[in-house]
Amino acid sequence: MELRDTFDGAAERYDRARPSYPPALTAELVERAALGPDSRVLELGPGTGQLTAALAQSGCEITAVERGPSLAAVARRNLSGLPRVHVEVGSFEEWPLPGEPFDLVVSATAFHWIDPAVRVAKSTRALRPGGCLALVTTHHVAGGSDAFFARAQGCYERWDPATPPGLRLVDEAETATDTRELEQLGPVTSSRYAREIGYSAAEYLDVLMTYSGHLALETTARDGLLACLRELIDTRHAGRITKRYLHELITVERPADVR
């Protein structure tokens, strides 16, 4: 199993635990892409539809291509009241592009899982000239319960052999998505949205079990890691912690002369 396929086995948890995207980010994306009832949108890796449902409020038609069949099934359930949203199962690398181009190709926290040799070129071919390619990325940054995340490093170093020693979360001012592969198309526009979310121990472990690295851990190591983190939250942080996220909205227009 590829690492990117681990999410599909946790589809219901993913839907329950993963946070949606900030409404201001979605509103900016709708404005940048000038979405409306006549717009056609292609979403790559919609997961269970967190961004899809928000974009659909503009009245646009959305085709969402999801690699995981279980994730796609949950997305279809969540989006069942939106007749202009269509969820298809398949990898974008192999999915046949339709003849009619799209006004927006968007991928939220999923673009990095697509083959780098394919993702920008094929996304560009899917767009009409002047159409918008948009990425939403999510970073885990310093802030919130900083003391917990510093202490949690000990749990990771004990139970996850891939953990770099002394690892710490980076300040958001020093965090940015690498956009060089998009810059070949033209000027890139980026906006940043930071927020903090509070979690109980159970809620936080639920979130962790939607991350590929945690899902891929050997069972004994994973159970040991989660038990260590739960004890840390309950005994040192009164049963509750806060995590800080940084979301970036990154867009670039398809030039008229690209084939």
Side-chain angles (χ1 to χ4, degrees):
M1 177 187 293
E2 294 185 43
L3 195 58
R4 63 178 176 172
D5 292 323
T6 57
F7 304 106
D8 200 53
E12 294 290 350
R13 182 183 295 114
Y14 192 103
D15 187 53
R16 177 177 69 243
R18 281 287 183 109
S20 58
Y21 297 97
L25 183 154
T26 305
E28 183 176 354
L29 175 54
V30 169
E31 181 178 356
R32 280 197 205 176
L35 295 186
D38 295 329
S39 302
R40 285 170 42 82
V41 175
L42 173 61
E43 184 179 5
L44 311 179
T48 60
Q50 286 93 334
L51 181 67
T52 322
L55 292 179
Q57 299 308 309
S58 69
C60 63
E61 179 181 358
I62 302 176
T63 299
V65 180
E66 172 52 54
R67 180 182 175 91
S70 297
L71 289 166
V74 177
R76 286 173 177 150
R77 183 187 71 204
N78 290 342
L79 303 166
S80 60
L82 299 168
R84 302 199 73 200
V85 176
H86 314 282
V87 179
E88 300 192 13
V89 178
S91 65
F92 180 56
E93 293 92 335
E94 299 173 357
W95 186 71
L97 293 177
E100 186 177 356
F102 294 90
D103 302 290
L104 169 67
V105 174
V106 60
S107 185
T109 322
F111 201 68
H112 61 289
W113 292 113
I114 302 173
D115 184 347
V118 173
R119 57 196 181 199
V120 172
K122 190 169 183 178
S123 296
T124 303
R125 293 200 307 273
L127 285 167
R128 63 168 175 80
C132 179
L133 172 58
L135 308 184
V136 179
T137 60
T138 300
H139 307 276
H140 308 287
V141 294
S145 302
D146 280 330
F148 163 73
F149 292 104
R151 292 169 178 146
Q153 176 67 15
C155 295
Y156 282 93
E157 290 183 9
R158 178 181 177 187
W159 292 105
D160 183 358
T163 302
L167 187 66
R168 292 292 184 270
L169 291 173
V170 178
D171 188 271
E172 63 193 71
E174 302 172 21
T175 303
T177 300
D178 185 346
T179 61
R180 284 175 292 182
E181 66 178 330
L182 302 181
E183 290 166 5
Q184 60 186 300
L185 299 179
V188 172
T189 302
S190 177
S191 298
R192 298 156 70 89
Y193 296 85
R195 61 174 174 168
E196 295 187 350
I197 299 177
Y199 296 103
S200 67
E203 290 167 342
Y204 185 62
L205 298 189
D206 233 14
V207 172
L208 291 183
M209 285 303 294
T210 69
Y211 296 156
S212 59
H214 294 72
L215 290 167
L217 275 176
E218 184 270 329
T219 301
T220 300
R222 184 173 63 239
D223 291 347
L225 172 62
L226 297 180
C228 184
L229 294 171
R230 180 186 290 276
E231 181 180 14
L232 184 57
I233 294 171
D234 286 339
T235 61
R236 300 294 297 273
H237 297 274
R240 193 161 189 87
I241 58 143
T242 300
K243 185 173 182 63
R244 188 170 182 84
Y245 297 87
L246 175 66
H247 304 282
E248 287 187 283
L249 171 61
I250 301 160
T251 58
V252 61
E253 286 190 5
R254 179 198 190 274
D257 57 352
V258 170
R259 296 184 179 180

